[in-house]
Amino acid sequence: MNGLSTVLIVVGLFLIGGVISFAKQQMPKSLIVLLSIGAAMCLAAGILRLEVWN
C-alpha cells in the first residue's frame, strides 16, 4: 500500500462522510450526487492503485 492509494482512500471516506452529512441536512440532491460520484471515484482509484493486484 503506497502513499497515494492511502490518500485517495482516506479522501474517499471523508467524502462519504460529507454525503451522509449533507443528506441529513437535506441539501440539494444534485450536490449530494456530485459528492457521491467524487467519493466513488476516489475510492475506486485508491483501490485500483493498491499493489496487491500484481
Side-chain angles (χ1 to χ4, degrees):
M1 191 173 205
N2 59 10
L4 183 58
S5 64
T6 304
V7 168
L8 285 170
I9 291 171
V10 168
V11 168
L13 292 174
F14 178 76
L15 290 175
I16 288 176
V19 168
I20 294 169
S21 174
F22 281 14
K24 285 184 180 178
Q25 295 178 27
Q26 298 179 351
M27 299 292 272
K29 296 290 181 192
S30 60
L31 182 64
I32 295 172
V33 168
L34 184 65
L35 197 60
S36 63
I37 290 171
M41 289 174 60
C42 280
L43 284 174
I47 290 170
L48 288 176
R49 285 192 55 89
L50 287 176
E51 296 174 357
V52 297
W53 308 116
N54 293 336

